[in-house]
């Protein structure tokens, strides 16, 4: 066998192993799975990172790093907006469920090209359970409520996730954004929102959620808890860009 | 590939169409994560984490490897963290196959799933470093130079792991005895 020859072409393989390796190689996801991944990644990027606002006192290098992160976030945000509004226009719901909807949502609903009558409204019970009735072509519709004010939120407050998984990711994103925006005016609320996220954890949000919770605990004067949580944060995310920032905050009296 | 080249050459990231990166690399990353021990139900979450991490680390990407190699490297590490998590270590009921399948396509699909299940069982029994090199070389079919780069080890080391891993995989397969293959 040459250096780059594959095992499945070797002559002395146990029966069935070559076929199993082929099955592994052929196990590519469907187009829909790739689209769902793209949407969830863009949704995550539109809300994650760079949104905490500078707290002052940090070095120029860190400021530059933060600026870079914001720039990347913004690029992600714009893409996510495009992607999600595209989903919206394709799958506009017959009615907006009450659970959902931010007043300031700037969604191009009027441009939606799909007649509402084409969409068979799913039951509200299903929505409340987070599992929505499938609509034509397997598209699922749900919108999203963001309870806390989001003064500077981008134009994607209402989206129509295509799968339950996507809906979950977007729910978490909403909670995280609400928590982040509550941090400066009401740390107790910010902390409560991060705890609500805890019921539906997604690895992608954990770092940001912990960052918000630690800052909220510190702001509430619960320093010992904040420090304990920070120690676990450092263990879990040793390379986190938030590390220095959190350390600086915790070191303040 | 063209996209990877342009990212590598441009050296800037703010103008990158990240959705296009996910579309290009998402399919193989979703496939690789399943073989790296991520449960089917968790693959979407973990894949999302891979790409969110990639986004955060794009500034570190200097074009010395291909973007593909860089993403695989992140996937290997994220999957490794996943396997170590307490959540995964807990025992779970194994997937059960449907009892009856009627048509020929259904049978074929069952057979395919059974092969994947056995492959995953065999891979799961290996040392993680062997599993990683086998997944990248034998299933993802990367050249060894890229495998080594994704794993962050010298090419020679990667070959050592590959040869040892192959022997271990053959043994593990025989131990499963899927088709009376003795």
């Amino acid at each position: 066998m040459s250096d780059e020859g594959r095992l499945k072409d070797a002559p002395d393989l146990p029966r069935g192993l070559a076929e199993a390796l082929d099955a592994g190689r052929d196990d590519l996801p469907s187009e829909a799975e790739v689209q769902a991944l793209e949407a969830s990644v863009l949704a995550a990027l539109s809300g994650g990172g760079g949104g905490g606002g500078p707290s002052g006192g940090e070095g120029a290098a860190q400021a530059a790093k933060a600026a870079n992160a914001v720039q990347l976030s913004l690029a992600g945000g714009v893409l996510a907006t495009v992607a999600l509004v595209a989903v919206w226009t394709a799958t506009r719901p017959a009615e907006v469920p009450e659970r959902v909807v931010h007043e300031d949502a700037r969604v191009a609903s009027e441009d939606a090209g799909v007649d509402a009558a084409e969409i068979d409204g799913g039951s509200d019970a299903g929505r409340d359970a987070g599992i929505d009735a499938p609509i034509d072509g397997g598209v699922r519709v749900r919108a999203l409520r963001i309870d806390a004010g989001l003064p500077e939120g981008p134009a994607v407050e209402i989206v129509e996730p295509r799968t339950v998984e996507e809906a979950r990711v977007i729910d978490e994103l909403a909670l995280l954004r609400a928590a982040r925006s509550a941090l400066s005016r009401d740390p107790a609320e910010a902390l409560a929102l991060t705890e609500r996220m805890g019921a539906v954890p997604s690895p992608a949000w954990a770092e940001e959620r912990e960052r918000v919770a630690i800052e909220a605990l510190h702001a509430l004067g619960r320093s010992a808890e904040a420090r304990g949580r920070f120690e676990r944060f450092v263990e879990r995310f040793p390379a986190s860009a938030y590390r220095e920032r959190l350390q600086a905050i915790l070191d303040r009296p | 590939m063209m996209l990877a080249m342009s990212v590598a050459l441009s050296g800037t990231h703010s103008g990158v169409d990240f959705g296009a990166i996910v579309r290009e690399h998402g399919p193989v990353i979703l496939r690789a994560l399943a073989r790296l021990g991520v449960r089917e139900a968790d693959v979407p979450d973990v894949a999302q984490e891979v790409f969110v991490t990639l986004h955060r680390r794009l500034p570190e990407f200097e074009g010395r490897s291909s973007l593909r190699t860089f993403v695989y490297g992140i996937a290997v590490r994220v999957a490794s963290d996943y396997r170590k998590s307490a959540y995964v270590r807990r025992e779970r009921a194994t997937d059960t196959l449907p009892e009856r399948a009627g048509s020929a396509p259904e049978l074929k699909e069952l057979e395919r799933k059974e092969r994947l299940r056995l492959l995953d069982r065999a891979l799961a029994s290996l040392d993680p470093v062997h599993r990683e090199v086998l997944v990248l070389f034998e299933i993802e079919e990367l050249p060894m130079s890229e495998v080594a780069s994704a794993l962050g080890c010298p090419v020679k080391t990667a070959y050592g792991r590959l040869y040892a891993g192959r022997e271990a995989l053959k043994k593990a397969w025989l131990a499963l005895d899927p088709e009376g293959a003795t």
Side-chain angles (χ1 to χ4, degrees), chain B residues 19-37:
Chain B
I21 292 179
V22 179
R23 287 195 299 279
E24 183 182 348
H25 300 282
V28 295
I29 293 303
L30 287 164
R31 172 177 67 182
L33 289 174
R35 301 292 86 76
L36 287 168

Side-chain angles (χ1 to χ4, degrees), chain A residues 1 4-8 15-16 19-20 24-25 27 29 38 40 44-45 71-72 165 168-169 203-204, chain B residues 14 18-19 23 27 31 35 45 48-49 55-56 112 115 119 137-139 141-144 159 166 173:
Chain A
M1 189 189 311
E4 296 281 316
R6 309 288 165 180
L7 181 63
K8 68 186 171 68
R15 268 177 58 194
E19 290 81 359
R25 192 202 52 212
D27 186 34
E38 183 188 356
S40 83
L45 296 178
Q71 191 181 24
L72 285 168
E165 173 53 33
R168 190 173 74 75
V169 165
Chain B
S14 53
F18 202 73
R23 287 195 299 279
R31 172 177 67 182
R35 301 292 86 76
D45 265 2
Q48 185 205 37
E49 191 181 346
H55 187 269
R56 193 174 65 234
R112 189 183 75 85
R115 281 188 176 137
L119 179 64
F137 185 76
E138 304 292 359
I139 296 170
E141 301 192 340
L142 298 183
M144 275 309 272
Y159 270 113
R166 283 174 169 175
W173 187 260

